[in-house]
Amino acid sequence: MDRDVDVAPPLPESPAHDRKPSATHPDGGGGLRAAVRVASHALIAGLPVAVLGVVAIVLGPEISGGLDSRAVAAWRTVFTAIVIQGVPFLLLGTLVSAAISAFVPAWVFTRVLPRNPALAVPVAGVAGAVLPGCECASVPVAGSLMRRGVTPAAALAFLLSAPAINPIVLMATYVAFPGNPWMVAARLVASLLTSVVMGWLWLRLGREEWLRAPKGPTGHTAGVSRAEELRVSLQHDFLHAGGFLVVGAAAAATFNVAVPHSALRLFSDSVWLSVPMLGVLAVLLAVCSEADAFVAASLTGFSPSARLAFMVVGPMVDLKLIALQSGTFGRAFALRFSSATWVVAVLCSALVGWWLL
């Protein structure tokens, strides 16, 4: 009995003693564990790339020998171009998203945006002009805005407008269409109109169960430094969205190789078919919004309204963007939202093109 009494007291002290160094001591292993986590994530992200690289080196000649070498080279070129175009802006978007999560308090958005969601949508659409990025950057930023309490309709309006009306895109359009400032104005008006209409449509017809709440750090966790929150959010968003960017780029490259460009000429002579046709082409080619104006300018066989549709649809609906939205907001949302956005973008392009061009 005495032995039981003697043994009992140390039991509650032992866990407290064990927890103390890891929680309070500066050398309690927190930094080591963080380094191990970063290394493990890097290994997980890099291992598939390394395996694919080895397979490409070892089996590349055999695979290329069994296929048309020109088709393989074209696929590789398009795939690499899309990924190289997208990754820097995806990194920019995830940096902005992580900075919002770590450093911007939630009350800032409630102060900046009107409380009325119907008024918040156009304000968020116009705010898209301040982010110099492409569609790859807008998805993680929109997800971060939703996590910070911004109404989904306003965040979606920002998602659509940011890659379409920012100064870099408008300047690229001006350079691609020299002596035609009306094309720049038409792109600005049609893109902003599409983003605002889609925000209002989601506000009116969207259902909560269609939109999966974006996962990720919400920021400002008690006891966690801002630098650590920035690292965790950046790591989560970039690794998560990067895989979907690769999937979308592969799909776009496959279309470029599989569909002959001569088939597109069948639609260029029809006013009614050329606009939706270039809208479909924008989805499949998945050209970065900073470069799509030069592609549109090269499509000289199509009408100005059709080329406008190519530039309005592309930054809002393309294969890599659908993949990114599916990974962030869910497949059910991506299919519904992308389909509706395509229709609205084509109609707005036709209307604004008829008015200004």
Side-chain angles (χ1 to χ4, degrees), residues 8-341:
L11 291 178
E13 296 177 4
S14 179
H17 178 72
D18 292 340
R19 287 194 300 267
K20 186 177 179 181
S22 61
T24 61
H25 196 280
D27 297 325
L32 179 60
R33 284 195 298 271
V36 171
R37 284 199 302 271
V38 173
S40 63
H41 282 292
L43 180 61
I44 293 173
L47 186 58
V49 177
V51 172
L52 290 176
V54 172
V55 171
I57 293 173
V58 175
L59 301 180
E62 288 76 6
I63 296 176
S64 299
L67 299 171
D68 183 354
S69 59
R70 290 177 299 176
V72 174
W75 188 96
R76 185 172 60 246
T77 300
V78 174
F79 174 80
T80 304
I82 293 176
V83 172
I84 290 177
Q85 283 179 341
V87 166
F89 293 103
L90 180 62
L91 180 59
L92 171 64
T94 52
L95 279 171
V96 174
S97 172
I100 291 174
S101 178
F103 299 110
V104 181
W107 59 263
V108 170
F109 302 104
T110 59
R111 295 279 184 88
V112 172
L113 293 175
R115 293 186 178 182
N116 188 337
L119 297 178
V121 167
V123 173
V126 174
V130 303
L131 179 65
C134 72
E135 57 272 21
C136 299
S138 64
V139 174
V141 174
S144 179
L145 291 176
M146 291 184 192
R147 293 197 297 266
R148 306 297 288 157
V150 174
T151 178
L156 294 175
F158 178 87
L159 182 151
L160 296 178
S161 68
I165 66 172
N166 69 72
I168 294 179
V169 170
L170 296 180
M171 181 59 67
T173 306
Y174 180 80
V175 173
F177 292 89
N180 189 6
W182 288 111
M183 183 62 79
V184 181
R187 180 171 194 175
L188 172 63
V189 173
S191 299
L192 184 58
L193 180 61
T194 301
S195 64
V196 173
V197 169
M198 282 305 302
W200 282 336
L201 283 177
W202 180 262
L203 194 63
R204 179 68 176 173
L205 303 175
R207 297 182 180 178
E208 188 175 342
E209 60 268 22
W210 291 349
L211 178 63
R212 185 182 69 197
K215 299 179 181 179
T218 57
H220 296 267
T221 304
V224 180
S225 68
R226 298 292 175 261
E228 176 66 10
E229 287 186 342
L230 178 69
R231 182 194 65 79
V232 171
S233 182
L234 176 61
Q235 175 182 287
H236 175 275
D237 288 345
F238 186 76
L239 293 180
H240 185 258
F244 290 97
L245 171 64
V246 172
V247 171
T254 301
F255 171 83
N256 273 271
V257 173
V259 178
H261 293 284
S262 58
L264 301 178
R265 300 192 187 100
L266 299 175
F267 301 89
S268 60
D269 297 331
S270 173
V271 176
W272 298 103
L273 294 179
S274 61
V275 172
M277 179 58 201
L278 284 196
V280 172
L281 186 64
V283 175
L284 299 174
L285 292 183
V287 182
C288 184
S289 61
E290 272 76 13
D292 62 357
F294 299 97
V295 177
S298 68
L299 300 173
T300 54
F302 290 87
S303 66
S305 294
R307 287 185 281 176
L308 174 64
F310 182 87
M311 294 186 292
V312 173
V313 172
M316 300 184 181
V317 188
D318 64 29
L319 290 178
K320 66 178 183 296
L321 185 55
I322 294 173
L324 287 168
Q325 289 181 1
S326 298
T328 304
F329 305 116
R331 186 183 305 171
F333 166 83
L335 294 178
R336 290 182 174 93
F337 189 74
S338 297
S339 300
T341 301

